[in-house]
Each structure stands twice: as structure tokens, then as C-alpha cells.
Amino acid sequence: MVGLKVGPIFYKIGNGNILHSFFSTVAYNLENNKWGSRFPFIMEELYYRSLSPEKVDLASEEIKKIFAELQEYAPSMVIWDIENLSKRPPWGDNIAGTITSLDNYFYTSDGENLSVVFDKALVTAKRVNKEVLVYSL
């Protein structure tokens, strides 16, 4: 179980594969396969370390831009694992008809769009002046 942690608050995402797929999809499709080249706060700082409170506003702008740009990509453009581009999601192409682009492809195990979880965590981090980190339970 992975999620985003802000102080003692844990925003559940679910299986780590879905979060890695999100980051892989962003790097491959939006950063021309150059991880962190366009979105360093989300892709480098948050993914690999932690996002300091001073950088939350910059990361919020990045995540908004990421999801806006993912609207332009068909669900078939999902990248399950950037280290192995032949890997496919366990469900293959069998997705809900409501999934129309990559911006609404990624959901938590609780059925919440990943963009909502990022937004909640970043808003909370700003409010309580705490870092955000990817955390595994």
C-alpha cells in the first residue's frame, strides 16, 4: 500500500504499481522519456525524495499542467513500467468506458481520481507547512 504522506496524514493510493505507472506515463509521454525534465518537483523531488513545503506551490502548478496535458492522450498510451515498455497493465485494454484519456485513467484503490489525491495532499501540505512524500505502509 502506497500513498502520499503529509505529517501524520496519509492519502491512500493503493498498489505501488499504479503510482509507478502514473510517473512512467508522465515521463514517457510528457517529458519525452527524460524523467524530471519538465516537471522536476513532482517527478524528481516528490518521487525520489520528498517535496519541501517551500516547493508545494510549484508542484501544484506542475500537477495541474500534467493532468491538463494528459487529457490529450488516449488510454492506450499508458505506460505501465518505463523500465520495461513491453509490460502492460494487468487488465490490458479492458477498461471502463468512462476512461476517455490518461487524465482520468489513474484511480486509487478507493475509486478516487489520482489528481484529486495529489490536490488534497498538496493543499494540506501548504496549509500545515509540512513536506509531502511518497510513503509505503
Side-chain angles (χ1 to χ4, degrees), residues 26-46:
V26 170
Y28 186 85
N29 289 304
L30 304 183
E31 296 185 313
N32 198 26
N33 206 15
K34 295 180 181 130
W35 195 288
S37 62
R38 290 189 59 215
F39 306 108
F41 300 106
I42 293 296
M43 299 297 291
E44 290 284 334
E45 296 199 27
L46 178 60

Side-chain angles (χ1 to χ4, degrees), residues 62-120:
E62 284 185 0
I63 205 71
K64 287 175 190 163
K65 189 170 189 168
I66 286 169
F67 280 98
E69 291 184 20
L70 287 175
Q71 289 177 356
E72 305 300 319
Y73 290 83
S76 62
M77 297 295 293
V78 70
I79 302 298
W80 191 245
D81 183 351
I82 200 162
E83 287 89 26
N84 182 353
L85 295 176
S86 66
K87 278 190 176 178
R88 300 298 305 150
W91 48 83
D93 294 327
N94 185 20
I95 58 174
T98 55
I99 297 174
T100 57
S101 66
L102 289 178
D103 83 307
N104 65 0
Y105 186 94
F106 299 97
Y107 282 83
T108 69
S109 58
D110 291 338
E112 194 165 34
N113 189 299
L114 194 55
S115 67
V116 173
V117 175
F118 272 106
D119 186 57
K120 285 180 183 179

Side-chain angles (χ1 to χ4, degrees), residues 13-34:
I13 292 171
N15 185 301
N17 291 335
I18 196 73
L19 187 61
H20 182 67
S21 176
F22 169 77
F23 284 104
S24 293
T25 297
V26 170
Y28 186 85
N29 289 304
L30 304 183
E31 296 185 313
N32 198 26
N33 206 15
K34 295 180 181 130

